[in-house]
Amino acid sequence: MIRLLRFLVIANIGPLFEELLYRERMLDALASVDVPRGIRWIVTSLLFAIPHIQPWSILGTFLVGLALAFTYESTRCLGFCVALHVGLNLASMIPPQTAWGTLLALLSPAAFASGLRMARRIPIGMADAVAPA
């Protein structure tokens, strides 16, 4: 039961709330007061990284925050950011010593980079996805 709860929080609920807070609310709030794009990305990425208090993961989390900020501002699609975040969290939960963990460690950077490339090429947002026909 504890493992299931941990899985739900780390892999699903956490990314949803973090993306809502850091990408949708904070990035948009900073953009509305004309903070330059690079500063917005750095500020929100730092704020995203600080709660991840293990010293070895703060830099990685900061870099992921930058990538997710870029993705959100390129696509305006929060769902895409949530999906990337969930995928990264799931990848972090699989022990690297297992065959699946090794495969995931090899494939996840390529998948993340491919997602970012797609985000640059397809700048659609949620409003476009739910617009009436």
Side-chain angles (χ1 to χ4, degrees), residues 3-21 48 78-79 81-93:
R3 283 186 175 182
L4 177 62
L5 184 60
R6 181 175 178 243
F7 171 78
L8 288 174
V9 170
I10 291 175
N12 297 296
I13 297 169
L16 175 64
F17 285 111
E18 286 180 337
E19 294 308 312
L20 282 168
L21 175 65
F48 173 65
L78 188 68
C81 292
V82 171
L84 287 172
H85 195 150
V86 166
L88 287 169
N89 283 9
L90 287 174
S92 73
M93 295 176 76

Side-chain angles (χ1 to χ4, degrees), residues 73-123:
E73 289 202 346
S74 296
T75 65
R76 305 304 296 172
C77 182
L78 188 68
F80 188 64
C81 292
V82 171
L84 287 172
H85 195 150
V86 166
L88 287 169
N89 283 9
L90 287 174
S92 73
M93 295 176 76
I94 297 174
Q97 300 83 5
T98 65
W100 283 112
T102 302
L103 180 62
L104 197 56
L106 294 172
L107 294 179
S108 59
F112 190 70
S114 296
L116 290 177
R117 284 185 46 193
M118 284 179 8
R120 272 188 89 191
R121 282 193 239 144
I122 309 169

Side-chain angles (χ1 to χ4, degrees), residues 10 14-15 18-19 22-23 40-70 81 84-85 88-89 92 112 116:
I10 291 175
E18 286 180 337
E19 294 308 312
Y22 296 110
R23 257 48 82 187
R40 289 194 302 262
W41 293 3
I42 290 170
V43 167
T44 58
S45 297
L46 281 172
L47 292 172
F48 173 65
I50 289 170
H52 300 84
I53 56 175
Q54 297 90 358
W56 58 88
S57 69
I58 288 178
L59 177 61
T61 306
F62 173 75
L63 295 174
V64 166
L66 287 175
L68 289 169
F70 165 78
C81 292
L84 287 172
H85 195 150
L88 287 169
N89 283 9
S92 73
F112 190 70
L116 290 177

